[in-house]
Amino acid sequence: MTMILSFLFAITILTLTPGFDTALVLRSAAAQGWKRASATAFGVTLGCLVWGVAVGLGLGALLLASEMAYNLLKWIGAAYLLYLGVKLLINPRTQAEEGQHAQSKEQSYVACFTRGLFGNLLNPKVGVFYVTFLPQFIPAGASVPLWCTLMALTHMVIGLVWNAVLIGSSQYFATHLRRPAVLKVMDRLTGCVFIGFAAKLALSRR
């Protein structure tokens, strides 16, 4: 029981710590509305579940053992974050997206989900973190794949709850945040944040 409580405390603190996922969800909530922000949040948290399953199956250990595999995923992830950041700097939004027709809305939901999912999956630090973090909470003799999956699922649920709080809080200021001038500035600031995360990831070591 103590081990489970320790895990819940540690993973909650990790979830509340601001990072790329927080910036992405808040930006989506402010510029695109709570529905698309929810799609983004689901993509981000599903990435955690995928990493947890991968670590349970031993794939995460590859990143810890192979410098080539780690660097390859790191550079792909950094390039993806750089692409998102530069895109926001060059082409910031000037209006919210809630008035689009049905097909555009569906494509937008998929795009938001994909950004969140791949932003997480292409970050090898998440895999390495899970490899080094999760095993210490697995009881002796227990199924590693099962426990890693359950803990990642727990992380996903906590992340969804926290993102719901972030999205709900942002709606209070939604009217002001969706003004054209504010959207443009916010997108460019978010672009700078993404570029910063890209640089941090590119310079990171295992």
Side-chain angles (χ1 to χ4, degrees):
M1 186 64 180
T2 302
M3 186 179 297
I4 295 176
L5 292 177
S6 298
F7 167 75
L8 290 175
F9 176 77
I11 208 67
T12 299
I13 295 300
L14 172 67
T15 303
L16 298 182
T17 303
F20 163 77
D21 52 347
T22 302
L24 187 59
V25 169
L26 285 176
R27 184 261 172 190
S28 297
Q32 300 173 290
W34 70 270
K35 292 182 180 180
R36 291 177 181 81
S38 298
T40 302
F42 185 67
V44 169
T45 53
L46 183 61
C48 293
L49 180 59
V50 173
W51 269 119
V53 173
V55 167
L57 295 175
L59 299 180
L62 176 65
L63 295 176
L64 198 61
S66 172
E67 185 175 356
M68 179 181 295
Y70 179 89
N71 286 335
L72 177 61
L73 190 57
K74 178 182 76 173
W75 285 112
I76 293 175
Y80 181 66
L81 292 181
L82 181 62
Y83 162 75
L84 293 179
V86 171
K87 185 177 179 181
L88 287 175
L89 281 178
I90 295 176
N91 188 30
R93 300 177 193 276
T94 56
Q95 63 180 16
E97 297 182 359
E98 293 181 311
Q100 298 174 326
H101 56 78
Q103 185 175 1
S104 296
K105 281 185 176 182
E106 183 178 349
Q107 291 173 347
S108 182
Y109 289 135
V110 173
C112 289
F113 170 80
T114 302
R115 273 197 297 270
L117 178 64
F118 282 100
N120 196 321
L121 291 182
L122 293 176
N123 186 352
K125 292 178 71 67
V126 178
V128 171
F129 170 77
Y130 269 15
V131 169
T132 57
F133 178 75
L134 297 185
Q136 60 187 305
F137 299 102
I138 299 176
S143 170
V144 173
L146 176 62
W147 272 83
C148 283
T149 300
L150 289 176
M151 287 190 284
L153 185 60
T154 302
H155 189 192
M156 180 180 179
V157 171
I158 294 174
L160 286 174
V161 171
W162 174 237
N163 283 317
V165 172
L166 291 176
I167 294 169
S169 301
S170 70
Q171 297 311 295
Y172 181 79
F173 306 98
T175 302
H176 301 290
L177 292 174
R178 290 174 194 164
R179 292 176 180 175
V182 175
L183 278 175
K184 183 179 291 188
V185 171
M186 185 171 61
D187 268 13
R188 284 177 172 162
L189 287 175
T190 305
C192 291
V193 171
F194 285 2
I195 291 173
F197 281 126
K200 182 178 179 181
L201 179 57
L203 297 174
S204 68
R205 295 183 178 181
R206 288 177 296 171

